[in-house]
Every structure is written in structure tokens, then in C-alpha cells.
Amino acid sequence: MRDHGLDGIEVLTGDAADTANYAGAVPADLVLACGIFGNISDGDIQRTIAGLPGFCASGATVVWTRHREPPDLVPAICAWFEASGFTARWVSDPRAGYGAGAHRYAGPVVELPPDERLFTFDR
Ligand SMILES: C[S@@+](CC[C@H](N)C(=O)[O-])C[C@H]1O[C@@H](n2cnc3c(N)ncnc32)[C@H](O)[C@@H]1O
């Protein structure tokens, strides 16, 4: 990283579903949930989104991805974000050929449970 001029970045190789691996890194201003929602069950997506406030500083942005293959789950994902205290900053157009969004967290800072499993890749 330093060779590329990226000082102050710590890389952790570990299980992204295990909240214990985020100790010391949360609450964060920018949270990337990319390359996850296309590989886990709808229930795990909903549970992961419900847990995202625990990753967020007040005003944080979560950037997420999900394909648009039918049945298009992006509208449900947006609804789950809103139910968890987020507002949409941007969501890709359905005709774009991909699904991505940025949601802002305006709620209070909440503690991330230290030993919770958020999702399991099943595809
Ligand atoms: C769909 S790819 C996304 C790669 C990258 N994040 C992106 O957006 O381009 C998913 C990757 O997550 C890895 N993966 C699966 N389960 C994981 C977990 N629990 N923790 C961390 N990585 C996991 C897979 O091995 C795979 O390399």
C-alpha cells in the first residue's frame, strides 16, 4: 500500500461476516458492502443491512452492490436501508445493467455486537 502512496491504510484478511473483525475500525465514515449482496440469501441481506448502523458514524455513507437479475431485489434493498435509518443518496438506474447504491446513515451511533455472524455466502 505504502508503495502506492496509500499511508494510513490497514488491510485485514478475514471473515467479513464476523463482526469481531471490525473492532477498532468502526464506527466509520465510509462503509463498503460490495460484492456481497449477490451471493447471500435475501434474509441475510436484510439482516446485514439491519446491522449496518453498527458500522456507521453519524452521517456515514454505505456503498453497496447487487446485480439486477430478476427478480430485481434492489427496491427491497432500498426499503431495508430506509427501515434501518438510512436515506438514499444515489441508486443506479435499472437500465444501467448493474445495481449499486449509496445510502447515508443519519441515526445515532450504535455499538456493533462483537460476536455476530451477519451472512453466509451460498452461491
Ligand atoms: C462476488 S466476489 C466480490 C469481490 C470484490 N469484493 C468485488 O466487489 O469486486 C466475492 C468474494 O468474497 C469472498 N468471500 C466469500 N465469503 C466471504 C467472507 N465471509 N468473508 C470475506 N470474503 C468472502 C469470495 O471468496 C469472493 O472472492
Side-chain angles (χ1 to χ4, degrees):
M1 288 284 181
R2 210 163 280 127
D3 293 347
H4 298 284
L6 298 171
D7 286 325
I9 293 180
E10 184 184 345
V11 176
L12 185 147
T13 303
D15 183 353
D18 182 351
T19 58
N21 284 325
Y22 298 89
V26 296
D29 294 315
L30 178 63
V31 178
L32 305 178
C34 300
I36 301 171
F37 293 166
N39 301 80
I40 63 178
S41 70
D42 295 5
D44 274 5
I45 296 173
Q46 191 169 5
R47 176 177 27 263
T48 300
I49 292 171
L52 282 172
F55 291 77
C56 291
S58 190
T61 295
V62 176
V63 176
W64 54 270
T65 58
R66 160 79 188 193
H67 60 74
R68 286 276 193 172
E69 288 163 22
D72 183 0
L73 205 68
V74 169
I77 287 171
C78 289
W80 292 332
F81 267 105
E82 299 205 357
S84 298
F86 292 85
T87 53
R89 295 183 63 177
W90 175 82
V91 178
S92 60
D93 189 279
R95 294 160 298 181
Y98 60 89
H103 274 76
R104 183 177 185 276
Y105 182 62
V109 174
V110 295
E111 199 173 331
L112 185 66
D115 268 311
E116 195 167 299
R117 184 155 196 88
L118 293 171
F119 57 79
T120 304
F121 268 44
D122 61 5
R123 62 200 79 151

